[in-house]
Amino acid sequence: MKIVRVRNPEGIVYGAVEPEGIRLYKGSPLFEWESTEVVAPFDSVQLLSPVFPTKIVAIGRNYADHAAEMGSDVPDAPVIFLKPSTSVIGPGAPIVIPPDSTNVHHEAEFAVVIGSVARNVRAEDASSIVLGYTAANDVTARDLQRADGQWTRGKGFDTFCPLGPAIETEFDPLEGLDVLCRVNDEVRQAGKTTDLVFGVAELIEYVTRVMTMLPGDVILTGTPSGVGPIVDGDIVDVEVQSIGVLSNPVVKP
Ligand code: MG
């Protein structure tokens, strides 16, 4: 099932993608929801980020080829950092280059969407607290990140966490699915979900030993090699196989 969150003339609701349109639901897949008789045509709704998390936990250097291009070794344990909820935008919304940076990078990632309250979850139980998976762009002001090592500053600006377009509930990272980034239709990153240094189950165990994950919270699993700059006027697409294409324009006010 592909879960989306949409704005339609009546407000913001959840839905599920069907061949002829989006089946609208009452409630939320994070708590309780119920399908309605309404199937909205695709062009009648605006897609939003599929969740609005209380926090985004992101993983650094979780692909060996990306760690190498950053001049780093693969870490011995997951490197975690937080992106603020206010960095989240949905499909089609602009990534805004902040005045403080002249080197903003794309980072294509696949993301875990947590489905229930999760604390001290063992790796073997991890799948029980996952609602599904979506695509993410861990947008990064690389110059600021390198200048002072404050990842939260370099990666925490408003609009720096596009999520979407849908949550795929049938997604299995162990199938080796493609994680791609294109800028203006040119492929910049091409990885596989099986290339992770620390897999999803291990990440969930590690993160939930530290903090309680709430329904709708998100774990960004790291980015493959090929990160690079995005500038005013670019269109950046993150495509995760079986989830879809997350496309955002880039603007510098
Ligand atoms: Mg990243």
Side-chain angles (χ1 to χ4, degrees):
M1 178 186 228
K2 276 194 167 58
I3 299 170
V4 292
R5 196 171 63 107
V6 299
R7 186 193 305 277
N8 72 1
E10 282 83 57
I12 293 173
V13 294
Y14 276 96
V17 177
E18 295 187 356
E20 66 279 16
I22 293 170
R23 165 94 45 199
L24 302 184
Y25 277 66
K26 285 181 184 164
S28 162
L30 301 169
F31 302 100
E32 279 187 23
W33 69 335
E34 187 183 345
S35 67
T36 70
E37 295 303 307
V38 182
V39 178
F42 291 113
D43 60 4
S44 71
V45 299
Q46 177 196 357
L47 286 177
L48 304 173
S49 68
V51 280
F52 195 79
T54 71
K55 57 184 168 298
I56 299 112
V57 181
I59 312 299
R61 304 202 301 260
N62 202 29
Y63 285 74
D65 57 356
H66 173 62
E69 76 177 344
M70 302 302 287
S72 304
D73 292 328
V74 168
D76 297 329
V79 172
I80 67 173
F81 59 96
L82 291 170
K83 287 170 85 81
S85 61
T86 42
S87 63
V88 172
I89 56 173
I95 297 166
V96 180
I97 306 284
D100 314 33
S101 175
T102 57
N103 191 20
V104 172
H105 281 195
H106 55 81
E107 291 192 1
E109 312 202 1
F110 75 97
V112 187
V113 179
I114 303 297
S116 55
V117 177
R119 176 157 183 76
N120 289 324
V121 177
R122 293 176 306 176
E124 56 265 39
D125 302 324
S127 61
S128 68
I129 59 100
V130 173
L131 174 65
Y133 293 83
T134 192
N137 193 340
D138 177 19
V139 180
T140 301
R142 194 72 69 200
D143 45 357
L144 303 187
Q145 182 195 22
R146 286 194 172 125
D148 60 12
Q150 292 192 70
W151 291 26
T152 297
R153 183 168 78 114
K155 290 169 171 282
F157 286 94
D158 290 359
T159 76
F160 271 26
C161 191
L163 293 176
I167 300 165
E168 175 56 67
T169 59
E170 304 302 312
F171 188 87
D172 181 1
L174 298 179
E175 289 178 358
L177 301 164
D178 294 321
V179 179
L180 305 174
C181 180
R182 289 184 298 268
V183 177
N184 306 327
D185 292 327
E186 179 192 328
V187 175
R188 295 269 193 93
Q189 295 181 268
K192 294 277 187 192
T193 55
T194 38
D195 293 342
L196 297 188
V197 175
F198 301 101
V200 168
E202 250 175 308
L203 294 176
I204 287 172
E205 177 169 306
Y206 190 84
V207 169
T208 65
R209 282 176 72 91
V210 180
M211 64 191 91
T212 300
M213 295 297 280
L214 299 177
D217 283 351
V218 170
I219 299 175
L220 269 53
T221 56
T223 199
S225 64
V227 300
I230 47 176
V231 298
D232 188 29
D234 284 346
I235 302 290
V236 54
D237 294 345
V238 174
E239 179 167 5
V240 178
Q241 187 182 355
S242 100
I243 292 172
V245 179
L246 170 64
S247 186
N248 297 90
V250 181
V251 302
K252 185 170 175 70

